[in-house]
């Protein structure tokens, strides 16, 4: 049986798919936190170039991909669709599993699908420098790669704690010609303010965003804009080449998925694969679409997990009640999307519309899935990608229990070759020995008991 | 003697936002000195983090950390831009 389905280069999608006009109940516009009005071009123009702002609010279903973007895409696109034959055998369940190999790109993930587009539109708009923040460094390296094709300067604010842990991602960015600095820096007001009170600050993603945005909007000498690697509509839009290719490839093998799966951090790779299938679902086709996200809590093994999508305003999830074998049950928490605060609005909307189903997986089971995958399919996955693989395993188990054949399509969003330290922790058993010993907990809590409660 | 404020600080977990390991110390202070809004979810497995943080935070701090809707990414970007745009040309 053939494993790979290769789409010829001339079949690369020529347009991105914008799901906004197809949403069953529309998309609630985001509000400007200052004015509480939907942000207008004046609010956005200092941050993003106009073509990307237009895409952000576009109601056009199809948006042309410019030829220079296609030209860079052709370095690694179309990506292979692969039948995970060995993983299927290992799972011994009535499932066919196909994966889209987005780790095939030079930076090793799906992120360049939008990085290249964003670099191009900024360049066309006369911008000379791009700024962004990065956590693990996947996005920073993708943008550095993209900027090198369009002769743009690239400055990446990498959260210090990651900067110190991940020298190779930083070196990739530098190899592609970008500047990568540890945030907080003393080059911005936001950074200086933190450094004044805490010179050893490990930084945070929020602060790195502030530094990157500040640099973009205050640059007087070099026209500079800010870029984001996930969450926003135009980013998800650019990723839809993945799902469009997958659809054609599934057609080539005469199949169609019963279940489409992706891991969801900000939501971009998940959207990229699933939105073209979500369009079919909106139009009446039966397909289950699962967004796999992280929770560190072992919901299945250690007690009930209550999870409800409605809160008072009907907008944010009510989270979370765990019982974990301690005699402690935390109160239900209404937090403005404790889980979803970083999730793309388009995906949150499709969850509310019942088109997408979110499922959560904890650390351990995702690494177990990653190891099973590496031993069968060969590829070592990014830790994020392992969440999607954990979902594949869960769906396969369900298929077995139901005695029902299922075809699964999953986005293999990136390789984990620069995340081997995380695998080392797992292999060394550090992740399994994770829960603090009961004695230790009791000792610490006992010590708190005697203290007056702060007012 | 056990310092109550830092009792769990050296434990480590994977931060889904950063994509790497972080000590509890980081999660306890990352939001301008207050805990990350995800701290309860990420740490529940390791120790009774909710009970612990209830003890070391004031009511107001707890509310700010866990019961205030956090800004969406776009809101965060817009408010950062607002703070600085007056200084810039862009
Ligand atoms: C390989 C990989 N997959 C998935 C993600 C999650 O991001 P998103 O949900 O935007 O695809 C990341 C984020 O850095 C990543 O590096």
């Amino acid at each position: 049986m053939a494993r790979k389905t290769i789409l010829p280069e001339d079949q690369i999608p020529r347009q991105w798919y914008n799901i906004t006009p197809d949403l069953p109940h529309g998309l609630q516009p985001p509000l400007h936190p200052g004015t509480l009005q939907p942000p207008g071009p004046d609010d956005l123009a200092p941050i993003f170039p106009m073509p990307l702002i237009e895409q952000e609010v576009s109601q056009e279903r199809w948006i042309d991909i410019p030829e220079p973007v296609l030209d860079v895409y052709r370095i690694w696109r179309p990506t292979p669709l692969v039948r995970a034959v060995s993983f299927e055998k290992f799972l011994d369940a009535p499932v066919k599993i196909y994966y889209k190999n987005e780790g095939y790109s030079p930076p090793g993930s799906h992120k360049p699908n939008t990085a290249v587009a964003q670099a191009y539109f900024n360049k066309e708009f006369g911008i000379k420098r791009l700024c962004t923040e990065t956590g693990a460094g996947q996005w920073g390296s993708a943008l550095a790669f993209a900027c090198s094709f369009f002769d743009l300067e690239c400055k990446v604010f990498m959260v210090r704690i990651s900067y110190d842990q991940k020298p190779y991602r930083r070196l990739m960015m530098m190899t592609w010609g970008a500047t990568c600095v540890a945030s907080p820096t003393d080059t911005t007001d936001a950074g200086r303010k933190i450094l004044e009170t805490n010179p050893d600050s490990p930084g945070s993603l929020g602060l790195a965003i502030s530094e990157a945005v500040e640099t973009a909007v205050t640059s007087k000498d070099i026209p500079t804009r800010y870029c984001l690697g996930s969450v926003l509509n135009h980013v998800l839009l650019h990723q839809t080449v993945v799902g469009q290719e997958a659809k054609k490839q599934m057609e080539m093998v005469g199949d169609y998925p019963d279940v489409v799966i992706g891991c969801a951090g900000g939501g971009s790779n998940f959207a990229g694969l699933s939105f073209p299938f979500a369009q079919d679902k909106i139009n009446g086709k039966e397909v289950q679409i699962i967004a796999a996200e992280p929770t560190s809590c072992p919901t299945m093994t250690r007690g009930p997990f209550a999870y409800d999508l409605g809160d008072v305003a009907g907008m944010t999830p009510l989270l979370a009640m765990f019982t974990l074998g301690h005699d402690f049950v935390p109160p239900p928490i209404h937090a403005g999307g404790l889980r979803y605060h970083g999730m793309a609005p388009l995906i949150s909307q499709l969850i509310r519309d019942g088109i997408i189903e979110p499922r959560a997986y904890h650390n351990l089971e995702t690494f177990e899935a990653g190891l099973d995958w590496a031993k069968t399919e060969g590829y070592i996955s990014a830790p994020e990608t392992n969440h999607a693989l954990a979902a594949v395993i869960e769906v396969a188990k369900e298929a077995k229990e139901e005695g029902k054949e299922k075809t699964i399509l999953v986005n293999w969003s990136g390789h984990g070759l620069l995340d081997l330290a995380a695998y080392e922790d797992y292999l060394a058993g550090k992740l399994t020995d994770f829960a603090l010993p009961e004695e230790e907990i009791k000792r610490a809590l006992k010590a708190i008991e005697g203290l007056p409660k702060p007012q | 003697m056990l310092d109550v404020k830092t009792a769990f600080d050296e434990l480590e977990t994977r931060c889904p936002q950063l994509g790497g390991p972080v000590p509890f110390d980081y999660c306890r202070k990352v939001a301008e000195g207050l805990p990350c809004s995800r701290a309860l979810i990420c740490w529940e497995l390791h120790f009774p983090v909710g009970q612990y943080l209830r003890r070391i935070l004031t009511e107001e701090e707890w509310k700010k950390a866990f019961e205030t809707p956090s800004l969406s990414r776009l809101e965060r970007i817009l408010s950062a831009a607002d703070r600085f745009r007056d200084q810039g040309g862009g």
Side-chain angles (χ1 to χ4, degrees), chain A residues 17 141 145 156 192 242 251 287 311 447:
Chain A
Y17 167 58
S141 49
F145 160 82
V156 181
R192 280 189 295 271
V242 179
E251 260 172 46
V287 49
D311 71 348

Side-chain angles (χ1 to χ4, degrees), chain A residues 200-211:
Chain A
D200 299 323
S201 167
S204 70
L205 207 59
L207 177 59
I209 294 171
S210 286
E211 289 209 275

Side-chain angles (χ1 to χ4, degrees), chain A residues 102-103 108-111 134-139 169 229-231 235-236 239 262-272 292 342-344 347 381-386 411-416 419, chain B residues 14 16-19:
Chain A
E102 289 298 308
S109 76
H110 63 291
K111 302 262 176 186
T134 197
Q138 285 272 18
W139 166 242
R169 277 282 163 206
S230 192
V231 179
V235 181
L236 274 54
Q239 292 292 351
C263 66
S268 72
N269 89 84
F270 168 75
M343 183 68 86
I347 292 177
S381 323
E384 290 84 359
T385 312
N386 286 338
N411 201 356
W412 195 77
S413 58
H415 70 65
D419 299 288
Chain B
R14 181 184 156 76
Q17 228 182 18
L18 290 180

Side-chain angles (χ1 to χ4, degrees), chain A residues 27 236 264 266-268 270-271 275 291 343-352 356:
Chain A
L27 183 66
L236 274 54
S268 72
F270 168 75
F275 280 6
M343 183 68 86
L346 275 171
I347 292 177
S348 300
Q349 182 62 48
L350 285 162
I351 291 172
R352 287 196 283 271
I356 290 169

Side-chain angles (χ1 to χ4, degrees), chain A residues 225 324 338 434 451 453, chain B residues 12 37 44 46 54-55 90:
Chain A
R225 290 293 183 275
L324 290 168
L338 199 53
F434 222 17
L451 294 180
K453 175 98 187 72
Chain B
E12 249 185 32
S37 62
E44 197 55 53
H46 313 295
R54 278 239 181 244
R55 294 301 307 208

Side-chain angles (χ1 to χ4, degrees), chain A residues 12-14 16 64-77 112-113 115-124 145-146 148-151:
Chain A
I12 206 166
R14 302 281 159 160
W16 291 299
D64 288 343
I65 306 178
E67 192 54 41
V69 174
L70 287 172
D71 206 37
V72 183
Y73 276 178
R74 286 191 192 99
I75 293 172
W76 76 97
R77 305 212 70 84
N113 295 330
V116 171
Q118 292 190 47
Y120 168 79
F121 286 111
N122 273 283
K123 175 75 178 181
E124 280 296 289
F145 160 82
S148 72
F149 288 94
F150 297 102
D151 200 20

